[in-house]
Amino acid sequence: MKILVGIKRVVDYNVRIRVRPDGRGVETDGVKMSINPFDEIAIEEALRIRESGKADEVIVVSIGGDECQQQLRTALAMGADRAIQVNSSEALQPLSLARALLKVAQSESADLVILGKQAIDDDNSQTGQMMAALWGRPQATFASRVELDGTTARVTREVDAGLETIEVELPAVITVDLRLNQPRFVKLPDIMKAKRKPLDRTELGDLDIGADAPLSVSDFAPPPARGGGIKVDDAAALVAELKQRGLV
Amino acid sequence: MMSKILIIAEHDSNTLNPSTAKCVSCAAAIGGDCDVLVLGSGIGDVSRQAAALEGVSIVIETDAAHLAHPLAANLAPEVAAAAGAYSHVLGPSTTFGRDLVPRVAALLGVNQVSDIMAVEGPTTFRRPIYAGNAIVKVDVPAETTVVGTVRAASWKEAATGGSASIESRPASSEAASHSRYVSLEAGDGERPDLQSAKVVVSGGRAFGSAENFEKLYALADKLGAGVGASRAAVDAGYVPNDMQVGQTGKIIAPELYVAFGISGAIQHVTGIKDAGTIVAVNKDADAPIFELADIGLVGDLFTVIDEMMALLD
Ligand SMILES: Cc1cc2nc3c(=O)[nH]c(=O)nc-3n(C[C@H](O)[C@H](O)[C@H](O)COP(=O)(O)OP(=O)(O)OC[C@H]3O[C@@H](n4cnc5c(N)ncnc54)[C@H](O)[C@@H]3O)c2cc1C
Ligand SMILES: Nc1ncnc2c1ncn2[C@@H]1O[C@H](COP(=O)(O)O)[C@@H](O)[C@H]1O
């Protein structure tokens, strides 16, 4: 069985985001970039499935410019067997991402695709669901537990009402939530070893995904600031303040 | 061209989720006709609740056994089949909508606008990205269906008092053989729902144990409040996952939010930015949560909770 994991290069989650003064994006110059945190969890889950003997190969794929090879190398160092860069100078929106990932999944005959539940830059939370729809295959989103039994995956999902469990037949797309696992740390010798693992580069144009009408995104602005707050000295002052404001 | 908007109702077979009434408010801001699609099994009550929302023209009901549970693989084809007559298809940006709506968008072959927080025109919206650290304008290209999710915390529920007609529509697809619902382990549901509570008290890692959270529950009960938590508290097993507030938990907008022993990481703060008043109690005067708080109190949370309990008697 083959598992395909989609990873995105994003601004590290610890970086304080600043909107560019020209309103055309956020500052990325000299900013630390990382694998999208959810995608790291996706890689870890795929590796654990392989290590339990239920899969033979873990392939990581990232769609982006050459800089995303850095994140692919990290994924190889974590233990992925192979990496594919789909070279695209432009950042794609989820529908095109889903089409491109589906092409890769089909040409690799992947049985399971694991993605993050959302990319923490655009916060779209769409790609996995779209890919499953285009594929005509099941989706199990926001997974916090995955159990494979032959060609069935039993997935517990983090939903607003609590924890929902569903069963899906493979091939399927699973998107992962934070509590699924704790990704492993990469050790130095693994980084050396990863340099010898295969990293293939494909042009997006060669995947022939067709064109769709993208949304136009503009006018980046910082969120409205909240007014300056006050400090109170103790619980009595707090309760008095809340009563005065009619909040309790 | 006048907009014709279809809203996908969220419900638990008995009760319409308040997120649907918020979508109706978003539709009102877009302008035009607004219909609501109720998919499920045994959903007569839900359809009647939807028909009572002010501003809804028609409630379309598809009642079929295989729609009893909200499996996106079964619901999405029904939405896509109904969507042809509409310029806009909207669902809530709850886990229900975030699971379903992108599947619908892909079936319709369009990109989706996630988390609509404001409407500037029938095809122009504002939405947050980077955990709410930037707001962008999104324009949907002409001649394509607008498919979007509505950020619940940005919208008030539409009023009731309407009397839309209810039409039933047969299911267009069969059950997907590849997906099966197994079970739902629901939270206890004793306290007000986080996403609609007027007051929410919330606790972080500082509580140290599930037992200590009992103190917060007692305070919540005194205030009639919902109870939230940071991811650290959920990960440590002090509280269940459905209490998590933040980027990957619930985005909420209560009138009053009181954070006890929560440091104020951006991923948490993004979930509470729309609260009316934010109160922070933390023993570290430099905790980032104080940058955001309207009322800050530097002190030990256990002492403060005990004192509040006494003062609120
Ligand atoms: C991709 C991603 C998504 C995330 N999503 C979320 C999310 O949705 N929601 C979320 O909450 N987090 C989320 N996180 C985690 C987030 O980054 C923080 O780690 C988390 O919010 C910290 O929780 P905390 O404030 O309870 O704990 P800590 O940061 O450990 O803070 C504990 C605070 O308690 C104070 N304290 C300790 N003892 C006392 C006492 N006796 N009295 C008063 N104060 C005391 C301390 O001074 C400290 O400020 C996410 C992280 C990532 C990477
Ligand atoms: N450029 C990309 N390359 C590979 N995978 C991606 C890319 N963008 C998004 N994904 C995958 O899709 C998931 C959801 O992204 P999104 O729908 O943008 O929130 C991510 O967690 C990744 O697993």
Side-chain angles (χ1 to χ4, degrees):
Chain A
M1 182 172 98
K2 271 195 206 179
I3 307 178
L4 185 72
V5 178
I7 68 172
K8 186 176 188 187
R9 170 186 164 94
V10 298
V11 174
D12 187 84
Y13 79 96
N14 277 316
V15 171
R16 224 172 229 261
I17 300 297
R18 289 208 169 68
V19 173
R20 271 165 41 187
D22 65 5
R24 298 177 71 172
V26 304
E27 294 288 3
T28 48
D29 278 356
V31 162
K32 183 174 178 215
M33 304 296 286
S34 301
I35 300 177
N36 182 39
F38 294 102
D39 305 352
E40 240 184 303
I41 293 166
I43 299 165
E44 176 66 34
E45 194 64 17
L47 295 176
R48 290 186 190 187
I49 293 170
R50 190 194 63 198
E51 285 159 2
S52 75
K54 291 180 177 160
D56 316 298
E57 195 177 27
V58 174
I59 307 162
V60 285
V61 54
S62 190
I63 302 164
D66 288 342
E67 57 287 349
C68 76
Q69 289 185 10
Q70 221 182 324
Q71 280 64 43
L72 288 169
R73 287 282 171 212
T74 307
L76 291 171
M78 281 176 75
D81 300 289
R82 280 197 288 133
I84 301 170
Q85 179 206 352
V86 176
N87 186 42
S88 164
S89 49
E90 254 178 275
L92 299 187
Q93 291 181 6
L95 185 60
S96 292
L97 285 170
R99 288 188 175 137
L101 290 171
L102 178 55
K103 288 276 183 177
V104 176
Q106 285 172 330
S107 71
E108 293 288 348
S109 309
D111 305 280
L112 177 60
V113 176
I114 312 184
L115 303 182
K117 80 161 180 178
Q118 79 196 65
I120 61 160
D121 48 6
D122 295 332
D123 283 335
N124 275 321
S125 197
Q126 301 173 12
T127 307
Q129 298 88 312
M130 288 186 161
M131 183 180 176
L134 299 173
W135 205 0
R137 294 304 310 168
Q139 67 190 47
T141 53
F142 326 141
S144 64
R145 194 186 163 104
V146 175
E147 290 162 286
L148 285 183
D149 182 5
T151 57
T152 304
R154 178 180 271 246
V155 180
T156 300
R157 309 177 51 231
E158 297 213 0
V159 296
D160 291 341
L163 294 172
E164 185 194 80
T165 302
I166 63 172
E167 273 179 4
V168 295
E169 296 300 324
L170 303 186
V173 180
I174 294 177
T175 79
V176 305
D177 213 321
L178 289 175
R179 265 175 290 281
L180 180 59
N181 61 47
Q182 187 72 51
R184 64 197 64 189
F185 286 107
V186 173
K187 294 188 266 334
L188 195 60
D190 299 330
I191 298 174
M192 303 310 291
K193 256 198 285 181
K195 290 196 173 134
R196 293 193 303 272
K197 290 187 179 175
L199 192 165
D200 295 323
R201 188 169 182 280
T202 314
E203 289 302 320
L204 177 69
D206 295 340
L207 293 184
D208 203 20
I209 58 165
D212 64 64
L215 305 172
S216 127
V217 179
S218 61
D219 290 20
F220 286 67
R226 292 185 68 98
I230 60 161
K231 282 261 167 70
V232 293
D233 290 331
D234 53 25
L238 174 59
V239 170
E241 186 67 34
L242 291 176
K243 281 192 172 149
Q244 199 218 320
R245 298 189 191 195
L247 290 166
V248 297
Chain B
M1 195 193 72
M2 204 178 69
S3 300
K4 240 179 116 31
I5 304 165
L6 181 67
I7 290 169
I8 310 165
E10 174 173 4
H11 61 84
D12 63 3
S13 299
N14 300 312
T15 312
L16 191 66
N17 190 290
S19 65
T20 306
K22 294 181 174 189
C23 290
V24 172
S25 295
C26 178
I30 294 168
D33 261 359
C34 169
D35 296 348
V36 174
L37 177 63
V38 182
L39 302 171
S41 174
I43 44 176
D45 285 347
V46 176
S47 297
R48 279 186 287 279
Q49 291 160 37
L53 292 175
E54 200 89 61
V56 175
S57 306
I58 304 171
V59 172
I60 305 162
E61 179 187 273
T62 300
D63 192 317
H66 75 281
L67 304 178
H69 299 292
L71 281 173
N74 286 337
L75 302 187
E78 302 302 330
V79 182
Y86 294 89
S87 59
H88 295 64
V89 177
L90 301 178
S93 74
T94 53
T95 52
F96 165 78
R98 292 210 307 267
D99 182 48
L100 172 60
V101 180
R103 192 162 179 119
V104 172
L107 293 179
L108 298 176
V110 300
N111 278 295
Q112 173 193 308
V113 188
S114 291
D115 303 317
I116 295 171
M117 63 188 294
V119 171
E120 294 188 350
T123 58
T124 306
F125 308 96
R126 292 254 168 210
R127 65 166 299 240
I129 58 170
Y130 285 98
N133 286 297
I135 311 294
V136 290
K137 185 170 96 172
V138 179
D139 285 287
V140 179
E143 316 296 329
T144 61
T145 309
V146 177
V147 177
T149 59
V150 174
R151 184 174 181 272
S154 301
W155 300 90
K156 295 242 175 326
E157 289 172 41
T160 53
S163 54
S165 57
I166 301 177
E167 295 176 3
S168 66
R169 183 193 152 101
S172 62
S173 305
E174 310 263 288
S177 59
H178 53 52
S179 302
R180 283 178 298 281
Y181 171 88
V182 178
S183 62
L184 175 69
E185 193 185 309
D188 65 6
E190 276 169 34
R191 295 190 180 77
D193 171 58
L194 268 184
Q195 269 153 323
S196 41
K198 289 196 162 45
V199 178
V200 171
V201 296
S202 203
R205 191 197 309 274
F207 277 79
S209 68
E211 295 74 62
N212 284 341
F213 253 86
E214 295 293 336
K215 298 189 202 309
L216 191 63
Y217 297 142
L219 179 65
D221 291 342
K222 191 155 271 192
L223 294 169
V227 184
S230 72
R231 177 186 169 205
V234 177
D235 281 356
Y238 305 158
V239 297
N241 72 293
D242 51 8
M243 284 172 55
Q244 182 178 317
V245 171
Q247 184 184 17
T248 46
K250 288 179 180 154
I251 312 274
I252 59 172
E255 285 168 19
L256 173 63
Y257 183 80
V258 191
F260 290 97
I262 292 180
S263 60
I266 51 170
Q267 295 88 4
H268 184 81
V269 159
T270 189
I272 58 169
K273 276 190 177 148
D274 295 291
T277 300
I278 297 174
V279 175
V281 178
N282 195 304
K283 70 176 182 191
D284 173 8
D286 296 323
I289 187 99
F290 286 123
E291 291 168 28
L292 177 87
D294 301 293
I295 308 175
L297 170 51
V298 179
D300 176 65
L301 71 93
F302 297 110
T303 315
V304 173
I305 290 179
D306 285 346
E307 289 173 6
M308 285 180 82
M309 288 296 283
L311 289 159
L312 289 164
D313 265 334

